[in-house]
Amino acid sequence: MHHFHYHNGRLHAESVDIETIAREVGTPFYLYSHATLSQHFKAFDHAFAGIPHITCFAVKSCSNIAILRLFSSLGGGADIVSGGELFRALKAGVDPKKIVYSGVGKTEEELRQALHAGILMFNVESEQELDALQNAAADIDVTAPVSFRVNPDVDPKTHAYISTGLAKNKFGIAIDQALAVYQRASKMKNIEVKGVSCHIGSQLTQVGPFVESLRKVKNFIARLAENNIRISHLDLGGGLGITYDREEPPHPDAYAAAIKAELGDLNCTLILEPGRVIVGNAGILVSRILYTKTNIAKKFMIVDAGMNDLARPSLYGAYHAIMPVNEQRTGKVVADVVGPICETGDFLAKEKEVPDCEPGDLVAVMSAGAYGFTMSSNYNTRPRVAEVLAKDDSYHLIRHRETYSDLIRGEELPDFLK
Ligand SMILES: *Cc1c(COP(=O)(O)O)cnc(C)c1O
């Protein structure tokens, strides 16, 4: 469900004509729909109504402060994975008591910053990190609320790069080794053992793996209780998938129902860390066709957005539908839609049926709201693109396109080259 539809022959975001935005903002740009973002957040959050929970939006999926502010105004928290994301979340006004901090490589400095902010909980992923956190907390004389990320060894049946809950992945502590770590932590002076967390992967399209991992975590919580370690928070991570092409992921209601059924009478506050399912289909990348060419083997459409702007096709072979902004372009052609980057891996679509467009036409790369802008880079010294938020019949620039001076900000000539 989203609010990108044709009106009067042209693609609109809510009631805003995308061609107008392109004329005024230039291309390429990311475009989000406020109504879609809000509805997706509420649909997810309301699915868990009736049980104590916090929906901590996964900042890495889409981190613009305007979007973080929107979710926080709807009662959401944040799941962060770096000091930079902590900075963003606080700037956006997210309540620190609704921030959880995940990730395998938190630095001492980052731990300290999060302790100062007074976040809800650190999802600790190794014993050495636990020691670092104990030291950091002792230094400033506070107690660090901790949950350990356990690795349940469950196959999420998704792309290998975004599977995180298998024994061979770098994430978490093997569930069979975790009891000893909890016992050690519970004796540490500046550590408060608060929860258990797990996150098995992203773009999951079945509830089975979620339920299987919850079952393992629940058994583990029972073992903790037998050892007199009681926890108040259970963090189930994110990972619910979306429809990019023909996938049929469960609706958040079905996902929540399966989780509630498996939870039984477990008396914990649930932490949920959805990213993609909320923002994925709430954003698109708008790009203009520069040239078309046909060589012996195939047709290419060269657009002004590249793999530096949207990495997912190159990185994961991910599919993104491409729609013409002009509805009259009804013809289809099998082509590669490629960017200006000097890499053969630079494509937005490869040998896919795409609208048969002409130079100058605008295209919308759909489902680009998650891991789109946040994965973009300056490769080939390309300014990162603008981000725009459409709401009803108006649009708002929520991030300016970078300028050439932004690109060399911080660079300096050493004296011997001056
Ligand atoms: C990436 C990530 C998420 C969000 O995953 P989605 O698939 O976007 O829902 C949640 N929790 C952790 C720990 C993550 O690394």
Side-chain angles (χ1 to χ4, degrees), residues 83-269:
E85 288 190 353
L86 173 64
F87 174 76
R88 279 184 177 283
L90 296 175
K91 273 272 180 231
V94 179
D95 178 356
K97 284 287 158 240
K98 292 183 178 174
I99 295 180
V100 294
Y101 191 168
S102 306
V104 291
K106 308 175 190 80
T107 65
E108 204 181 300
E109 182 59 25
E110 289 175 316
L111 293 173
R112 204 171 310 124
Q113 288 161 355
L115 284 169
H116 275 300
I119 65 167
L120 175 64
M121 158 170 118
F122 293 80
N123 290 344
V124 171
E125 302 214 17
S126 67
E127 280 206 75
Q128 289 178 10
E129 182 190 339
L130 172 66
D131 292 329
L133 185 56
Q134 159 60 37
N135 291 340
D139 277 351
I140 52 174
D141 201 21
V142 294
T143 303
V146 160
S147 127
F148 290 96
R149 177 167 177 181
V150 297
N151 184 326
D153 194 20
V154 168
D155 185 355
K157 304 195 168 66
T158 181
H159 192 284
Y161 289 7
I162 48 177
S163 295
T164 57
L166 284 164
K168 65 181 178 188
N169 299 138
K170 71 175 175 181
F171 297 98
I173 297 172
I175 203 161
D176 297 329
Q177 296 168 354
L179 178 59
V181 184
Y182 271 87
Q183 285 171 323
R184 214 182 125 223
S186 64
K187 296 191 192 86
M188 289 173 128
K189 188 156 171 291
N190 298 77
I191 298 291
E192 179 206 349
V193 173
K194 192 161 186 158
V196 178
S197 74
C198 72
H199 169 76
I200 57 173
S202 200
Q203 184 53 14
L204 272 73
T205 54
Q206 303 166 31
V207 290
F210 288 116
V211 172
E212 189 187 340
S213 101
L214 174 53
R215 190 170 303 144
K216 290 190 173 182
V217 171
K218 233 179 76 178
N219 289 338
F220 177 68
I221 292 173
R223 277 188 72 203
L224 287 177
E226 286 161 16
N227 287 272
N228 285 318
I229 298 172
R230 272 162 242 289
I231 57 134
S232 55
H233 288 70
L234 170 54
D235 183 337
L236 293 176
L240 190 56
I242 62 167
T243 302
Y244 285 99
D245 187 8
R246 273 184 266 274
E247 304 90 336
E248 291 179 353
H251 186 274
D253 283 340
Y255 164 76
I259 288 186
K260 285 183 195 171
E262 184 62 35
L263 269 182
D265 58 1
L266 195 70
N267 194 11
C268 279
T269 297

Side-chain angles (χ1 to χ4, degrees), residues 67-78:
I67 288 171
L68 301 183
R69 169 73 65 111
L70 168 63
F71 296 147
S72 117
S73 77
L74 296 173

